[in-house]
Amino acid sequence: MNIEQGNNEREIADGVIYAKKKELLSNLKKVEEDLSSKQKTKVLFLRGAAIAASIGLLVWGYWYLNTKTWEEQLVAEHLNFYEVVSSTRGPGGENSMLLVEALNFYNDGKWKRAQTAFQQLYEQSQAAEYLLYQGVCALKSGEPLTAITLLEEFTDHVEEFPILKDGAAWYLALSYLQSKQVEKSKLILNAELKNSNEFSKEVEALLRQIEDRTTN
Amino acid sequence: MLKIYKDQNLVDRMHQGEDYVVELIYKKYRAPFLKWAIKNHDLGTEEAKNILQESIITLYINVTDKKLVNLKSSLFTYLCGIGKNKIREERRAESKNVYYSDNWMLLHVEDVDTLEELQEKERMFMQVEWALKEVGERCKKMIDLFYFNKKSLKEISGVMGYSNENSAKTAKLKCVNRIKSILATSTKM
């Protein structure tokens, strides 16, 4: 083997190593491409699944929030028939500015804030009328159990407010209905019907609707 | 202990000339290596991937050169050691603003003094690469085992099914001559 042949062999050896490294590197690049594309597919799939789940959740939430039970539907239908809270009333001993504020909140449909203001008025005056007003606010803000507590507390004082007696019974019946205590609601409504109160026709209609729902 | 045994098994398989092990190691250590390189050496993801690929090839070369026979630490630690050197080399080259080649890592740059020499070397290597594609699969395998995997003719005769060492030697000589012939033709062209 002469010098030229030796050099040639060395060059071939180096060239073989170069070619092999290049081939291995190219294989690793392909492996990397595969791994990256699989990861991208996985990310896209997860992103798609997350979007689908979000849409599903939104649809379910919309459906859930907009699907009322028949009891809630009946309450919503009859809730505004009778208005017990009146700006003309003011039992006395309370902060008149706070009363105006409470009535403004009530008239604006800000039930929670109105309830808080009526609670403060009750604490100041101890006038049971404000228990009734708080109860109505609680029912209108979707808290029938709180409404029941407040309205039942008011009924202990109802003899002091005969003019509010039927109204209190009406709201208590609606509160029971909203909280799915249908029998208790019917009991109150039937008692009101016997007493032939000022809104007998509305009571009769509500009772009939409850019967329709419970007998079918 | 079990982990090192498994790693040693990978090294042994590389020593046998199983190229596929390179891909296995890449898949096995890709995630921890990228995390290590990005966190400890402030590399971008693509840069870290390149360093890993080059490090694994260097690992394979170290095995074929018998610089690595028995692991004294985990393969990952060994790989990180190579990676650290690669990062240092790249940063040194960047700081000196040295242009080598897209394939500079594949070349033996320590053997050349000028850019012209480097380019000449790369041109010649590319001719060998082209010649290897021309000589056929069996001849290429023989040449790879001899020059890259540093297998003896006796080992090659066993792997490739030659009756004895002399038959393997004759076959290897024929392959080398075919490559020389292809190179000579391409040089004339």
Side-chain angles (χ1 to χ4, degrees):
Chain A
M1 186 187 286
N2 60 32
I3 294 170
E4 198 182 336
Q5 278 175 322
N7 280 344
N8 209 339
E9 184 108 10
R10 166 83 196 275
E11 283 173 353
I12 289 172
D14 286 348
V16 168
I17 293 168
Y18 166 87
K20 185 74 179 180
K21 283 184 193 171
K22 206 170 166 185
E23 183 190 322
L24 292 167
L25 195 62
S26 163
N27 288 344
L28 288 181
K29 300 258 179 225
K30 278 179 198 155
V31 171
E32 178 54 45
E33 273 175 31
D34 283 352
L35 291 172
S36 296
S37 73
K38 274 179 192 166
Q39 276 181 342
K40 274 180 197 162
T41 311
K42 200 174 166 185
V43 168
L44 283 175
F45 172 77
L46 288 173
R47 200 175 286 168
I51 290 168
S54 304
I55 292 169
L57 203 62
L58 279 173
V59 169
W60 177 82
Y62 182 81
W63 172 84
Y64 180 78
L65 290 173
N66 288 282
T67 305
K68 290 178 176 170
T69 62
W70 66 265
E71 292 95 339
E72 288 167 340
Q73 281 173 358
L74 286 185
V75 171
E77 197 180 313
H78 293 272
L79 189 59
N80 297 321
F81 159 72
Y82 179 75
E83 193 52 83
V84 72
V85 178
S86 165
S87 59
T88 58
R89 296 192 186 99
E94 70 279 81
N95 180 331
S96 59
M97 284 302 290
L98 185 59
L99 177 61
V100 170
E101 198 178 44
L103 292 169
N104 283 340
F105 283 140
Y106 187 87
N107 291 329
D108 291 343
K110 294 170 181 168
W111 315 122
K112 288 271 184 196
R113 297 177 78 175
Q115 188 183 337
T116 307
F118 286 132
Q119 187 185 349
Q120 288 172 344
L121 287 165
Y122 175 70
E123 284 164 4
Q124 287 173 11
S125 65
Q126 291 299 301
E129 195 173 353
Y130 293 124
L131 290 171
L132 172 63
Y133 293 178
Q134 283 181 68
V136 173
C137 290
L139 176 62
K140 290 193 174 184
S141 66
E143 292 180 10
L145 295 177
T146 307
I148 290 167
T149 308
L150 290 161
L151 294 170
E152 284 186 338
E153 203 177 334
F154 173 74
T155 52
D156 293 341
H157 306 274
V158 78
E159 300 308 323
E160 300 166 35
F161 307 94
I163 197 169
L164 297 175
K165 184 178 166 288
D166 291 339
W170 173 251
Y171 280 110
L172 188 57
L174 290 179
S175 299
Y176 277 125
L177 187 59
Q178 176 109 335
S179 64
K180 298 180 179 59
Q181 301 179 67
V182 181
E183 290 308 313
K184 284 187 181 174
S185 177
K186 278 164 70 178
L187 207 65
I188 295 168
L189 291 171
N190 280 317
E192 286 299 303
L193 204 57
K194 278 179 194 167
N195 295 337
S196 63
N197 69 22
E198 58 178 298
F199 40 90
S200 300
K201 280 187 183 172
E202 192 75 10
V203 171
E204 221 177 295
L206 181 55
L207 267 171
R208 200 168 45 246
Q209 285 174 307
I210 293 173
E211 287 301 323
D212 288 347
R213 300 294 199 290
T214 49
T215 50
N216 287 336
Chain B
M1 191 66 196
L2 185 68
K3 191 174 186 295
I4 288 182
Y5 173 74
K6 282 183 181 172
D7 283 352
Q8 184 60 51
N9 183 257
L10 291 173
V11 172
D12 293 344
R13 286 172 66 185
M14 274 195 284
H15 183 66
Q16 298 299 317
E18 282 188 49
D19 291 352
Y20 178 64
V21 176
V22 168
E23 292 179 25
L24 284 183
I25 292 172
Y26 189 81
K27 286 175 186 170
K28 187 176 179 185
Y29 293 115
R30 181 181 176 271
F33 188 93
L34 295 186
K35 196 176 170 185
W36 168 82
I38 292 165
K39 191 181 170 191
N40 298 317
H41 295 279
D42 203 25
L43 296 185
T45 310
E46 290 309 311
E47 207 181 350
K49 284 176 188 171
N50 289 337
I51 293 287
L52 173 61
Q53 289 157 7
E54 291 169 12
S55 299
I56 291 177
I57 289 166
T58 301
L59 165 74
Y60 195 17
I61 302 274
N62 286 352
V63 173
T64 59
D65 284 350
K66 296 190 175 62
K67 285 180 190 167
L68 174 65
V69 179
N70 293 311
L71 275 172
K72 291 181 175 65
S73 61
S74 72
L75 195 53
F76 180 67
T77 307
Y78 190 86
L79 206 54
C80 288
I82 298 173
K84 207 184 277 182
N85 289 334
K86 296 261 171 220
I87 294 166
R88 210 175 290 147
E89 278 172 30
E90 287 221 345
R91 289 203 172 138
R92 201 180 299 137
E94 275 171 17
S95 68
K96 287 181 181 171
N97 203 18
V98 175
Y99 167 79
Y100 287 127
S101 152
D102 286 344
N103 297 319
W104 77 272
M105 190 279 294
L106 307 170
L107 303 165
H108 300 283
V109 287
E110 64 270 22
D111 294 345
V112 292
D113 294 324
T114 63
L115 181 62
E116 287 71 29
E117 279 181 33
L118 183 85
Q119 286 170 336
E120 173 56 27
K121 197 164 192 173
E122 190 175 10
R123 190 191 59 76
M124 197 273 295
F125 285 170
M126 286 168 84
Q127 283 181 341
V128 174
E129 185 187 7
W130 177 71
L132 283 168
K133 286 175 186 163
E134 295 292 306
V135 292
E137 208 48 49
R138 191 166 169 79
C139 209
K140 183 181 177 298
K141 189 177 178 185
M142 154 79 78
I143 295 293
D144 276 351
L145 284 171
F146 188 80
Y147 289 111
F148 183 80
N149 297 97
K150 316 281 191 303
K151 293 283 173 195
S152 68
L153 289 167
K154 192 179 175 185
E155 286 172 309
I156 291 172
S157 67
V159 172
M160 296 194 68
Y162 290 103
S163 54
N164 55 48
E165 197 179 329
N166 279 337
S167 303
K169 189 177 179 180
T170 309
K172 184 230 151 192
L173 197 64
K174 277 185 186 171
C175 286
V176 171
N177 284 337
R178 282 178 67 189
I179 290 171
K180 282 181 182 173
S181 159
I182 293 166
L183 288 177
T185 314
S186 67
T187 312
K188 281 176 193 167
M189 284 166 72

